[in-house]
Amino acid sequence: ADHIIALDNLHLFKPQGLSNTVWAFAKEEESHPHLFERVAAHLLALDNLHPFNAQSCSNTVWAFAKTEESHPMLFKRVADHIVE
């Protein structure tokens, strides 16, 4: 995860790749607060989440919940996207 953060290239990730990355850490029960914070910050900085389908949103929110990485602003952003 440190190499992902160090590259500062989250903007190059497609929605599925980004959600799969945090999902994989959660699946392996590996918490990495810096990675999750960077992903949250990246998602919050986007103009919109239209490229994110239901599966990408679900995987992302599940990963944050599973690793106990609470991020209310991200959860609200995803919830707002879902009901749009």
Side-chain angles (χ1 to χ4, degrees), residues 50-61:
H50 295 296
F52 286 78
N53 63 22
Q55 188 67 54
S56 294
C57 289
S58 174
N59 286 353
T60 301
V61 171

Side-chain angles (χ1 to χ4, degrees), residues 11-72:
H11 65 283
L12 298 176
F13 280 65
K14 293 181 180 178
Q16 182 179 357
L18 196 56
S19 67
N20 286 353
T21 299
V22 291
W23 178 88
F25 276 86
K27 178 77 171 130
E28 293 301 315
E29 298 181 0
E30 286 291 328
S31 179
H32 198 292
H34 295 304
L35 173 65
F36 280 77
E37 181 57 39
R38 289 292 294 270
V39 169
H42 171 72
L43 294 176
L44 290 170
L46 296 175
D47 290 336
N48 61 64
L49 297 180
H50 295 296
F52 286 78
N53 63 22
Q55 188 67 54
S56 294
C57 289
S58 174
N59 286 353
T60 301
V61 171
W62 176 85
F64 274 78
K66 178 72 174 168
T67 57
E68 299 180 354
E69 294 292 337
S70 180
H71 205 294

